[in-house]
Amino acid sequence: MKTQRLLLATALSALAFGAAPTLAANVVTMNTVQIFGTIDPAKISDYTDYMAAVNLYDGLVSVDSGGNIVPELAESWSVSDDAREVTYKLRDDAKFSDGSPVEASDVVYSVERLLRINQGPANLFADVLTPGSVTAVDAKTVKFALSKTFAPFLTTVPAIMILNEEVVKANAGDDDGQTWLATNVAGAGAYSLKSWDRGSQMTITRNPDYYKGFGPGPIDEVRWIITNDEATVKSLAASGELTMTSQFQSPETYKALVDMGRFNLVSEDTSTAFYLKLNTKVAPTDDVHIRRALALATDYDTIREVIFPGGVLSTPLPKAFAAFHADDIPEPKYDLEAAKAEIAQSKYAGQPIPITLGYVAGTKFEEEISLLLQANLEQLGFVVTQQADPWNVITEKAAKIETSPAVNQIFFGPTYPSPDSMFFTQYHSKAAGTWASMEWLQDGEIDALIDEARGTGDPARQAEIYKALQHKLVEAQPDVFLLTQTVQHAMDKCLTGFKPVPMQSFDYDFVRYSWTCS
């Protein structure tokens, strides 16, 4: 069965990618609904970017499914008594995909380049790392000297992917290697880039000399096909090509694939939240009463139980962060009469209220949510415009206040396993201008609370601050808190290894997967 499936899959994929059919031992073909924006570790920002990066690059450390920091290029680390210095010891056998050793100088170069380019993960280290903060103690030891106490620092380090300094410098050009690294890889990851057509596919292949080795049944090749069309996903599955779906398919598609007999439905609770992000700087969502009315006009039960399965999200912070969650805040409720009362208190009372609802084009469940919200809002006097954009257009519009829609559907999960990742990236003024911060909140009191939590090493005090922060954010209502995602994949019964990880797309690091059929 396996050989037949793989022969068919590789033949079909070869036709799709314009190559001669070849038989690979263990091939996974997965669809993803968004394009890969970049594979440059200094510029990656969203889940598809990280999905590629965690396979092509390794960091000093990684994160497991329990949110624990685990060794990767570094075999150990130590923290000074004042928590202002962290020293990492590299593995003696750590090497890049070209066989050259990974050394402390490569780590220094990778961080310095990240800070210079100042995109992607760089915002995690704003005012924490500065040029010269990272130094090589010796060839296998590197020290981070923090500019200030930063409680979540250890949890942010997995976002630093290590580059081969010599290779990048040889291809630096006049833009610090950005042009070259846009289509090439200089890392120590378990996989190498085989092909990439930005709008349609990416293929990576296993590096048999990977310094950490592989477990039983390693995945030799991963092929991502970019499509959010449900009929295409079903067709790929029926043909035998598809091995694993994205996590954003409709319930009908999941059922159809399970009914084929070849797939299991894998379902796991996650710490990823799904929001309606409300632009607090444009009409009509610049009025807090309108924002509260939108929250009250949202039919949470229908969304969570019928359209897209998920758990209750009562604050910006998922309940998975149990020690820091404000449990005294009630669940959001659907109440059109209360919504009318809020509108009556707004500056837009007594007039038609134009509003634009944005979502990712071609994503069926987001379209259904947006249409459900439109039906409710029109009962309240809103004049609704639906705005479906491709993901790359949404990210471009998010860079400016005036182009960010009043309402946009956005998934956001922990960029690193700390509550800070949910607050700083979405709500701090220094993080404004990305798809994750389309609220444009820019509130000094909110900033001060986030900064205070970042600056204390006392977990009890952090919990107090985070709970107060949640109360302030719920009161300001910069988002509608739709749900926590219950991630689902239809997966070939022979494929195992998926476990949600509370950090970007680290759960799609395919060195963690295996093919169990012979």
Side-chain angles (χ1 to χ4, degrees), residues 319-504:
K319 291 182 179 180
F321 293 97
F324 306 99
H325 188 266
D327 292 334
D328 58 327
I329 296 176
E331 295 181 18
K333 62 180 181 179
Y334 171 46
D335 187 336
L336 290 181
E337 290 303 315
K340 290 178 183 177
E342 287 289 348
I343 294 169
Q345 298 180 65
S346 76
K347 62 185 177 183
Y348 300 103
Q351 57 184 294
I353 306 173
I355 192 167
T356 299
L357 308 182
Y359 63 94
V360 179
T363 307
K364 184 178 178 182
F365 69 88
E366 291 197 7
E367 179 182 6
E368 291 176 356
I369 290 170
S370 207
L371 290 172
L372 175 64
L373 184 59
Q374 176 177 350
N376 292 337
L377 293 180
E378 287 178 343
Q379 298 179 55
L380 301 173
F382 287 87
V383 179
V384 176
T385 298
Q386 297 282 359
Q387 183 170 297
D389 288 315
W391 177 246
N392 62 309
V393 174
I394 290 173
T395 60
E396 291 170 4
K397 289 182 174 181
K400 297 180 181 179
I401 291 174
E402 59 271 20
T403 54
S404 297
V407 182
N408 218 101
Q409 295 182 47
I410 296 290
F411 284 92
F412 184 79
T415 310
Y416 43 98
S418 164
D420 180 73
S421 66
M422 300 299 294
F423 293 115
F424 181 86
T425 308
Q426 296 191 95
Y427 304 114
H428 199 287
S429 296
K430 290 182 178 178
T434 75
W435 60 269
S437 56
M438 295 175 79
E439 300 87 351
W440 294 97
L441 190 57
Q442 299 173 302
D443 183 299
E445 290 186 14
I446 297 296
D447 291 350
L449 284 171
I450 295 171
D451 289 338
E452 185 182 355
R454 295 182 128 205
T456 178
D458 179 2
R461 178 57 186 149
Q462 285 181 349
E464 291 177 4
I465 297 167
Y466 286 134
K467 289 175 182 178
L469 186 55
Q470 288 166 75
H471 278 274
K472 282 192 170 292
L473 287 166
V474 168
E475 181 181 1
Q477 197 79 64
D479 302 291
V480 176
F481 311 117
L482 293 177
L483 53 85
T484 55
Q485 184 182 4
T486 299
V487 69
Q488 293 184 311
H489 292 281
M491 290 176 59
D492 191 295
K493 292 178 178 179
C494 294
L495 181 65
T496 64
F498 173 75
K499 291 293 292 183
V501 175
M503 182 162 185
Q504 284 289 0

Side-chain angles (χ1 to χ4, degrees), residues 134-155:
V134 184
T135 55
V137 177
D138 58 42
K140 289 292 183 177
T141 310
V142 62
K143 182 170 68 176
F144 288 71
L146 280 58
S147 303
K148 61 183 181 181
T149 302
F150 179 47
F153 179 72
L154 291 177
T155 65

